[in-house]
Amino acid sequence: DGHVTVSASCQSSGTRTWHSIEGRKRRRFSVAGTWADGCTLMSQDPANPDRYFARMTVVSQSCQEEFQVLVDEDPSRVFFPEAAYSTSGGCMVLGPDVGPSPNKFLVHGYPGDSFDVCLNLASEHKWRTVTWSKVCPASLTDG
């Protein structure tokens, strides 16, 4: 965990310098789920830098969505439930350094229901590392 600086220079464009990013900001956390193509970037909680959030909306007519939390959008570095299709707080959360897993979290809701997914890296309980809660309709208009 040291600071890295790299410089390169050439006659036509001069010297250019790059610096490494320190601490948590060097990692990006995102949610990959069945409701969207690709990943949804999680936002860091300004009041608690160990917590990250992303909002998802149920689109499936089967009233459920599956997801994992990825580190740097790398499918081999994921947070996932110990037991497949676990609900919020339903089992131990494993990862991200144990490799890929087919196990996914499962959200139940009606199409159009929104949920806030939370990654809490400082959670004292491994079953609370990844949780989610339904967003009240009034909160959707508040931002």
Side-chain angles (χ1 to χ4, degrees), residues 92-93 120 122-130:
M92 297 283 283
V93 176
N120 185 353
S123 175
E124 295 179 14
H125 307 288
K126 292 300 258 178
W127 57 89
R128 304 290 299 161
T129 303
V130 176

PDB file of all heavy atoms in Angstrom, residues 92-93 120 122-130:
ATOM      1  N   MET A  92     -24.433 -16.105   5.361  1.00  0.00           N
ATOM      2  CA  MET A  92     -23.099 -15.502   5.334  1.00  0.00           C
ATOM      3  C   MET A  92     -22.801 -14.979   3.930  1.00  0.00           C
ATOM      4  O   MET A  92     -23.187 -15.584   2.938  1.00  0.00           O
ATOM      5  CB  MET A  92     -22.040 -16.529   5.713  1.00  0.00           C
ATOM      6  CG  MET A  92     -22.176 -17.067   7.120  1.00  0.00           C
ATOM      7  SD  MET A  92     -21.576 -15.904   8.339  1.00  0.00           S
ATOM      8  CE  MET A  92     -19.841 -16.125   8.159  1.00  0.00           C
ATOM      9  N   VAL A  93     -22.097 -13.844   3.876  1.00  0.00           N
ATOM     10  CA  VAL A  93     -21.644 -13.279   2.613  1.00  0.00           C
ATOM     11  C   VAL A  93     -20.169 -13.624   2.464  1.00  0.00           C
ATOM     12  O   VAL A  93     -19.379 -13.417   3.382  1.00  0.00           O
ATOM     13  CB  VAL A  93     -21.849 -11.752   2.582  1.00  0.00           C
ATOM     14  CG1 VAL A  93     -21.280 -11.154   1.300  1.00  0.00           C
ATOM     15  CG2 VAL A  93     -23.331 -11.423   2.718  1.00  0.00           C
ATOM     16  N   ASN A 120     -21.637  -3.054   2.997  1.00  0.00           N
ATOM     17  CA  ASN A 120     -21.057  -2.496   4.212  1.00  0.00           C
ATOM     18  C   ASN A 120     -19.776  -3.261   4.533  1.00  0.00           C
ATOM     19  O   ASN A 120     -19.815  -4.346   5.112  1.00  0.00           O
ATOM     20  CB  ASN A 120     -22.045  -2.582   5.373  1.00  0.00           C
ATOM     21  CG  ASN A 120     -21.521  -1.909   6.621  1.00  0.00           C
ATOM     22  OD1 ASN A 120     -20.370  -1.490   6.684  1.00  0.00           O
ATOM     23  ND2 ASN A 120     -22.368  -1.795   7.625  1.00  0.00           N
ATOM     24  N   ALA A 122     -17.541  -2.640   6.648  1.00  0.00           N
ATOM     25  CA  ALA A 122     -17.184  -2.639   8.075  1.00  0.00           C
ATOM     26  C   ALA A 122     -18.175  -3.422   8.926  1.00  0.00           C
ATOM     27  O   ALA A 122     -18.097  -3.379  10.153  1.00  0.00           O
ATOM     28  CB  ALA A 122     -17.087  -1.201   8.580  1.00  0.00           C
ATOM     29  N   SER A 123     -19.085  -4.140   8.303  1.00  0.00           N
ATOM     30  CA  SER A 123     -20.082  -4.882   9.059  1.00  0.00           C
ATOM     31  C   SER A 123     -19.401  -5.894   9.981  1.00  0.00           C
ATOM     32  O   SER A 123     -18.492  -6.608   9.568  1.00  0.00           O
ATOM     33  CB  SER A 123     -21.035  -5.617   8.112  1.00  0.00           C
ATOM     34  OG  SER A 123     -21.930  -6.415   8.850  1.00  0.00           O
ATOM     35  N   GLU A 124     -19.855  -5.943  11.222  1.00  0.00           N
ATOM     36  CA  GLU A 124     -19.311  -6.905  12.180  1.00  0.00           C
ATOM     37  C   GLU A 124     -19.866  -8.305  11.942  1.00  0.00           C
ATOM     38  O   GLU A 124     -19.323  -9.278  12.445  1.00  0.00           O
ATOM     39  CB  GLU A 124     -19.630  -6.456  13.605  1.00  0.00           C
ATOM     40  CG  GLU A 124     -18.947  -5.167  13.995  1.00  0.00           C
ATOM     41  CD  GLU A 124     -19.301  -4.725  15.404  1.00  0.00           C
ATOM     42  OE1 GLU A 124     -19.860  -5.543  16.164  1.00  0.00           O
ATOM     43  OE2 GLU A 124     -19.009  -3.572  15.737  1.00  0.00           O
ATOM     44  N   HIS A 125     -20.954  -8.393  11.190  1.00  0.00           N
ATOM     45  CA  HIS A 125     -21.605  -9.670  10.942  1.00  0.00           C
ATOM     46  C   HIS A 125     -21.578  -9.968   9.448  1.00  0.00           C
ATOM     47  O   HIS A 125     -22.111  -9.205   8.649  1.00  0.00           O
ATOM     48  CB  HIS A 125     -23.053  -9.631  11.448  1.00  0.00           C
ATOM     49  CG  HIS A 125     -23.146  -9.197  12.874  1.00  0.00           C
ATOM     50  ND1 HIS A 125     -22.745  -9.997  13.908  1.00  0.00           N
ATOM     51  CD2 HIS A 125     -23.565  -8.040  13.431  1.00  0.00           C
ATOM     52  CE1 HIS A 125     -22.919  -9.359  15.051  1.00  0.00           C
ATOM     53  NE2 HIS A 125     -23.409  -8.162  14.789  1.00  0.00           N
ATOM     54  N   LYS A 126     -20.979 -11.080   9.061  1.00  0.00           N
ATOM     55  CA  LYS A 126     -20.805 -11.420   7.645  1.00  0.00           C
ATOM     56  C   LYS A 126     -22.120 -11.567   6.899  1.00  0.00           C
ATOM     57  O   LYS A 126     -22.157 -11.434   5.696  1.00  0.00           O
ATOM     58  CB  LYS A 126     -19.978 -12.698   7.495  1.00  0.00           C
ATOM     59  CG  LYS A 126     -18.543 -12.552   7.914  1.00  0.00           C
ATOM     60  CD  LYS A 126     -17.843 -11.506   7.097  1.00  0.00           C
ATOM     61  CE  LYS A 126     -16.982 -12.141   6.051  1.00  0.00           C
ATOM     62  NZ  LYS A 126     -16.316 -11.179   5.203  1.00  0.00           N
ATOM     63  N   TRP A 127     -23.223 -11.827   7.593  1.00  0.00           N
ATOM     64  CA  TRP A 127     -24.502 -11.954   6.895  1.00  0.00           C
ATOM     65  C   TRP A 127     -25.129 -10.587   6.641  1.00  0.00           C
ATOM     66  O   TRP A 127     -26.163 -10.503   6.004  1.00  0.00           O
ATOM     67  CB  TRP A 127     -25.467 -12.878   7.641  1.00  0.00           C
ATOM     68  CG  TRP A 127     -25.759 -12.469   9.045  1.00  0.00           C
ATOM     69  CD1 TRP A 127     -26.760 -11.635   9.452  1.00  0.00           C
ATOM     70  CD2 TRP A 127     -25.056 -12.849  10.212  1.00  0.00           C
ATOM     71  NE1 TRP A 127     -26.718 -11.474  10.813  1.00  0.00           N
ATOM     72  CE2 TRP A 127     -25.667 -12.218  11.315  1.00  0.00           C
ATOM     73  CE3 TRP A 127     -23.944 -13.671  10.458  1.00  0.00           C
ATOM     74  CZ2 TRP A 127     -25.216 -12.366  12.615  1.00  0.00           C
ATOM     75  CZ3 TRP A 127     -23.494 -13.813  11.754  1.00  0.00           C
ATOM     76  CH2 TRP A 127     -24.130 -13.174  12.811  1.00  0.00           C
ATOM     77  N   ARG A 128     -24.500  -9.510   7.140  1.00  0.00           N
ATOM     78  CA  ARG A 128     -25.002  -8.156   6.913  1.00  0.00           C
ATOM     79  C   ARG A 128     -24.076  -7.348   6.002  1.00  0.00           C
ATOM     80  O   ARG A 128     -24.241  -6.146   5.860  1.00  0.00           O
ATOM     81  CB  ARG A 128     -25.169  -7.420   8.245  1.00  0.00           C
ATOM     82  CG  ARG A 128     -26.043  -8.105   9.268  1.00  0.00           C
ATOM     83  CD  ARG A 128     -27.503  -8.138   8.954  1.00  0.00           C
ATOM     84  NE  ARG A 128     -28.052  -6.800   8.847  1.00  0.00           N
ATOM     85  CZ  ARG A 128     -29.186  -6.524   8.237  1.00  0.00           C
ATOM     86  NH1 ARG A 128     -29.890  -7.481   7.683  1.00  0.00           N
ATOM     87  NH2 ARG A 128     -29.629  -5.300   8.177  1.00  0.00           N
ATOM     88  N   THR A 129     -23.087  -7.980   5.378  1.00  0.00           N
ATOM     89  CA  THR A 129     -22.166  -7.271   4.494  1.00  0.00           C
ATOM     90  C   THR A 129     -22.892  -6.737   3.265  1.00  0.00           C
ATOM     91  O   THR A 129     -22.640  -5.629   2.816  1.00  0.00           O
ATOM     92  CB  THR A 129     -21.000  -8.194   4.060  1.00  0.00           C
ATOM     93  OG1 THR A 129     -20.347  -8.679   5.227  1.00  0.00           O
ATOM     94  CG2 THR A 129     -20.001  -7.457   3.188  1.00  0.00           C
ATOM     95  N   VAL A 130     -23.800  -7.534   2.702  1.00  0.00           N
ATOM     96  CA  VAL A 130     -24.628  -7.098   1.572  1.00  0.00           C
ATOM     97  C   VAL A 130     -26.085  -7.226   2.003  1.00  0.00           C
ATOM     98  O   VAL A 130     -26.529  -8.314   2.368  1.00  0.00           O
ATOM     99  CB  VAL A 130     -24.363  -7.940   0.308  1.00  0.00           C
ATOM    100  CG1 VAL A 130     -25.310  -7.534  -0.813  1.00  0.00           C
ATOM    101  CG2 VAL A 130     -22.915  -7.803  -0.137  1.00  0.00           C
TER     102      VAL A 130
END
